Amino acid sequence: MKQLRVNNKCSGCGLCVMNCTYLRENEDGNAEVIPGKAIAEQDIKTIQKIVQDCPEGALEIISTGSTAGTGIAGAQAVVHKLDRELKAIEVSEVESSKLDFNVDDFDIPIPRGSIEYRRYSSKSAAKSAARDEFRRLCYSETAYRPVLKKIFVEYKVKRLRPYYTCTDTADSIYYGYNQQVRKLLADARAEINMLLGREAVPQAWQEFSVYPSTKDWAIECLLKFDERSTHSGIIGDLREMGQYTSLSWYIDRMDYDDYEEYDGEGLFGRTKYKKVWEISGFNDAVEEYMDDLKGSISSKFIDVQEDVEREVNGALEDFGKQLKKAIDEKLTQLKQYV
């Protein structure tokens, strides 16, 4: 049987798609072959002209038949070949590297305080202001929870999307397996019907869609992954470092400088001065805290990644079983048709 093939030279001009029922436009705007469509004898000359007229030389006619037999014997040979090809499809476990977490891959904003170089009446007042501001920007739950949530959401989207997306989209790992099976079914159906000279295998037979349910335990875990930011143990790990990550540690790392400031004229025109204090190094302490937080995120994400890998592989294993069952059903139906 003869079919069209589109190579990587296609520029998406659309000329062939408009003039040919054997091609369609893909998501990138380029031409792609409609699976399972053998070129009819009466269309050969028309297709040859379309191939010749392609400005990029991206089209060619190829022979794709899987058997030299004819009639029922040829059709049965196609069935046997399809059986081998479909049963050879294996759903592989995820590679650990695809789930790797590197804290530096994520944008973690560093807050900035605005209390440096303000004047305070005493050192204790300056330290109290620094403590309040540091707690507000970094140390309180309302400060660090959004940071952790953002990281978990970004990781979910960047690393886990292929494994919880259960629809016909290139973002889904399951879509690739469906497409592989669909092409094999479509090509086998086209060849069998051509060999038998009739519509022995109906169009509906080649339709194939197998996806995990969003209610499956593993998929549900992956979909709710970002909720783990509230019980990830990251802040607990940070606080376990003791005095070196206590609020007082960061406050004491700042500098509190005093100097005398003009305070008007006193009795007999004498110039008055008063002592004031300023804070410096506040933002340096914030950066130190954020580095410590990143360290705890990296440390605890080792455990998180192990859990995720088990869930992803669980989803893939269940999908593999579903896929095999659906393939067996298709093969049983085909053998009845032929």
Side-chain angles (χ1 to χ4, degrees):
M1 123 179 130
K2 295 188 181 299
Q3 288 182 296
L4 272 172
R5 180 162 67 188
V6 183
N7 62 37
N8 57 12
K9 295 179 182 178
C10 180
S11 61
C13 70
L15 184 64
C16 60
V17 175
M18 289 188 295
N19 297 308
C20 179
T21 58
Y22 296 89
L23 298 169
R24 65 188 178 192
E25 190 176 282
N26 64 18
E27 293 179 353
D28 298 323
N30 295 330
E32 71 174 8
V33 176
I34 298 175
K37 290 202 72 171
I39 301 173
E41 193 63 36
Q42 64 269 23
D43 294 335
I44 287 292
K45 289 186 178 179
T46 302
I47 298 301
Q48 286 175 337
K49 187 173 188 314
I50 290 172
V51 170
Q52 291 172 358
D53 291 344
C54 175
E56 305 295 342
L59 301 175
E60 58 182 318
I61 298 173
I62 58 172
S63 295
T64 58
S66 60
T67 178
T70 58
I72 189 68
Q76 288 174 341
V78 175
V79 174
H80 293 317
K81 180 174 182 290
L82 179 65
D83 188 299
R84 293 193 303 272
E85 291 174 330
L86 289 176
K87 288 182 176 177
I89 296 174
E90 294 289 342
V91 178
S92 304
E93 288 191 345
V94 66
E95 297 176 19
S96 296
S97 60
K98 291 187 179 296
L99 302 177
D100 277 352
F101 175 83
N102 184 343
V103 71
D104 293 327
D105 292 339
F106 298 84
D107 178 29
I108 302 177
I110 298 177
R112 286 284 181 264
S114 57
I115 64 171
E116 289 195 2
Y117 308 115
R118 288 184 183 177
R119 295 176 179 83
Y120 298 92
S121 59
S122 66
K123 183 176 181 179
S124 62
K127 291 190 76 170
S128 178
R131 183 180 295 273
D132 290 344
E133 182 77 343
F134 197 87
R135 182 183 289 110
R136 182 182 72 83
L137 291 179
C138 302
Y139 219 74
S140 67
E141 188 170 343
T142 56
Y144 63 72
R145 282 295 174 212
V147 174
L148 299 183
K149 180 76 170 180
K150 180 178 184 293
I151 290 172
F152 274 70
V153 168
E154 286 186 17
Y155 178 84
K156 173 183 172 181
V157 173
K158 288 180 179 179
R159 299 286 188 268
L160 306 183
R161 188 203 298 264
Y163 308 102
Y164 65 72
T165 301
C166 303
T167 54
D168 267 5
T169 169
D171 289 335
S172 170
I173 189 75
Y174 315 109
Y175 176 68
Y177 290 104
N178 275 277
Q179 286 292 78
Q180 185 180 357
V181 174
R182 288 168 186 170
K183 184 179 187 312
L184 290 172
L185 296 182
D187 287 346
R189 172 181 172 269
E191 188 171 7
I192 288 170
N193 286 344
M194 183 190 69
L195 288 166
L196 298 180
R198 58 189 173 85
E199 192 79 357
V201 185
Q203 172 76 28
W205 174 81
Q206 73 181 48
E207 295 173 2
F208 191 86
S209 184
V210 175
Y211 284 97
S213 168
T214 53
K215 295 181 180 179
D216 290 350
W217 73 271
I219 301 298
E220 195 169 8
C221 287
L222 296 175
L223 285 168
K224 295 181 178 179
F225 172 79
D226 50 297
E227 296 178 9
R228 300 180 209 192
S229 66
T230 59
H231 54 273
S232 59
I234 291 171
I235 297 302
D237 180 83
L238 179 67
R239 302 284 166 83
E240 282 179 3
M241 296 174 67
Q243 64 170 332
Y244 298 108
T245 55
S246 66
L247 180 58
S248 296
W249 169 263
Y250 299 106
I251 302 306
D252 292 341
R253 303 278 283 170
M254 302 175 199
D255 293 322
Y256 304 92
D257 302 315
D258 64 284
Y259 63 93
E260 290 189 333
E261 182 181 66
Y262 174 72
D263 193 32
E265 299 294 325
L267 189 64
F268 306 116
R270 292 178 179 175
T271 303
K272 292 171 58 181
Y273 294 93
K274 63 179 180 180
K275 184 176 284 189
V276 294
W277 278 260
E278 287 185 349
I279 304 168
S280 60
F282 180 89
N283 289 327
D284 291 338
V286 169
E287 290 187 17
E288 181 182 349
Y289 169 82
M290 295 306 293
D291 284 341
D292 292 338
L293 179 60
K294 287 181 180 180
S296 289
I297 291 171
S298 296
S299 175
K300 295 305 292 183
F301 235 91
I302 295 173
D303 298 331
V304 172
Q305 188 175 322
E306 288 177 354
D307 291 340
V308 166
E309 190 169 335
R310 281 193 295 270
E311 291 156 5
V312 168
N313 283 328
L316 291 170
E317 182 181 357
D318 289 345
F319 170 72
K321 293 175 182 176
Q322 289 178 260
L323 191 72
K324 290 292 185 185
K325 182 179 178 182
I327 284 173
D328 287 342
E329 290 173 357
K330 287 293 181 182
L331 289 169
T332 299
Q333 292 170 2
L334 183 61
K335 288 169 185 177
Q336 291 171 349
Y337 292 136
V338 175

